[in-house]
Amino acid sequence: MKTHHFITAALCMLIWAGCNNGELEQQNADLQNKNNQLTQDMAMRDQYVDSVTQAITDVYNSLESVRLKEGTVLRETTEMEAKKRLTSQEVRQKLLEQVSLIDSTLKQDRHRIADLQSKLQSSKSQYAGLKNMVASLKQTIEAREATIAQLEEKITGLIAEVNTKTQIINQRDSLIAQQHGEINRAYYIVGKRRELEDKGIIRKQGGFLWGLLGSTTVLSNGFDANSFNAIDKFRTTTIDVEGTIDEIIPKRNETFYTATAPGKNQTTLSIAEPNSFWQDKYLVIITN
């Protein structure tokens, strides 16, 4: 009888021990799962923080690049403003392209900051430090955009001013060239006496017996200047004439020119002193 009670007690102890071991194993398994989950959560959190931090670093680097480019453009703009001129159209276009590139970079940075703010806002964990950094970056970008807008406006105004001055200078140069050309321009016509009289280029003056004796030949009043050939008196120093020169009107001092016959029925008028020869800007060459 005692043996039976002993066996029963032993069996109860074994059963209790078995149940206790099962609970311990379950508790151990639960702890292991929680530990794994915590490790995974920490890894995900670290990865999240690393990605946000890297994005912030990228924006900082981008802003530093923008700052350097902005400094270059501002320096060049200041130099041009001091000189009030641009060297060429390529330089103007280059400046505007640089400003446009900076503006594009800032817009990309602004979008990245907006994405970061949305990402931090939707996160279950609160990262006050990261949020402050992103907010500060956003303000920096907005300030840079305002500065770039002012710089672009300044460059555009400079270009408009330079274009206006360039146009004025070109008009002035054109007028000077036109006046210079007119000053250097001379006119001549070649023909037989009767032909030139019929055209109203020359006429007889003075004399007696109705001009048959003692008359001189002069330029007619109101002659048609379009009948003359226009030349640059300093570039054209020889005039080839078909025939023999009988007379030139108005008369010139013979020391200012020479007439030679290079061939039969040909004459070349060589002008030695253009300024003196062309005191009268119109020349009539009468041939036989």
Side-chain angles (χ1 to χ4, degrees), residues 5-15:
H5 287 303
F6 176 77
I7 293 173
T8 301
L11 287 172
C12 288
M13 290 180 66
L14 289 172
I15 292 171

Side-chain angles (χ1 to χ4, degrees), residues 185-218:
R185 194 168 293 124
Y187 302 86
Y188 77 92
I189 188 172
V190 179
K192 296 184 179 298
R193 189 178 298 274
R194 177 56 62 87
E195 176 187 355
L196 295 172
E197 288 176 349
D198 291 343
K199 287 182 178 181
I201 302 297
I202 58 175
R203 64 182 177 85
K204 292 183 182 296
Q205 177 178 279
F208 53 95
L209 294 179
W210 302 280
L212 295 176
L213 298 174
S215 63
T216 57
T217 304
V218 296

Side-chain angles (χ1 to χ4, degrees), residues 52-69:
V52 173
T53 304
Q54 183 60 50
I56 292 174
T57 301
D58 291 341
V59 174
Y60 269 120
N61 292 335
S62 178
L63 284 175
E64 178 63 18
S65 176
V66 165
R67 187 186 67 80
L68 294 175
K69 292 178 181 177

Side-chain angles (χ1 to χ4, degrees), residues 83-100:
K83 296 177 181 178
K84 294 295 182 183
R85 66 183 180 86
L86 292 175
T87 55
S88 68
Q89 182 64 33
E90 292 180 357
V91 175
R92 309 175 201 179
Q93 188 61 33
K94 178 184 175 182
L95 279 176
L96 289 178
E97 287 175 356
Q98 287 177 337
V99 171
S100 178

Side-chain angles (χ1 to χ4, degrees), residues 48 63 125 153 160 183 199 201 259:
Y48 174 80
L63 284 175
S125 303
E153 183 178 355
I183 291 172
K199 287 182 178 181
I201 302 297

Side-chain angles (χ1 to χ4, degrees), residues 6 25 34-35 42 52 56 65 71 89 93 118 142 145 148 172 177 187 192-193 196 234-235 269 277-278 283:
F6 176 77
E25 289 178 357
K34 289 180 179 179
N35 183 60
M42 290 181 66
V52 173
I56 292 174
S65 176
Q89 182 64 33
Q93 188 61 33
S118 176
E142 290 173 350
E145 286 182 325
I148 290 303
R172 185 185 64 190
Y187 302 86
K192 296 184 179 298
R193 189 178 298 274
L196 295 172
F234 293 105
R235 293 183 179 180
L269 184 69
F277 183 88
W278 290 108
L283 171 68

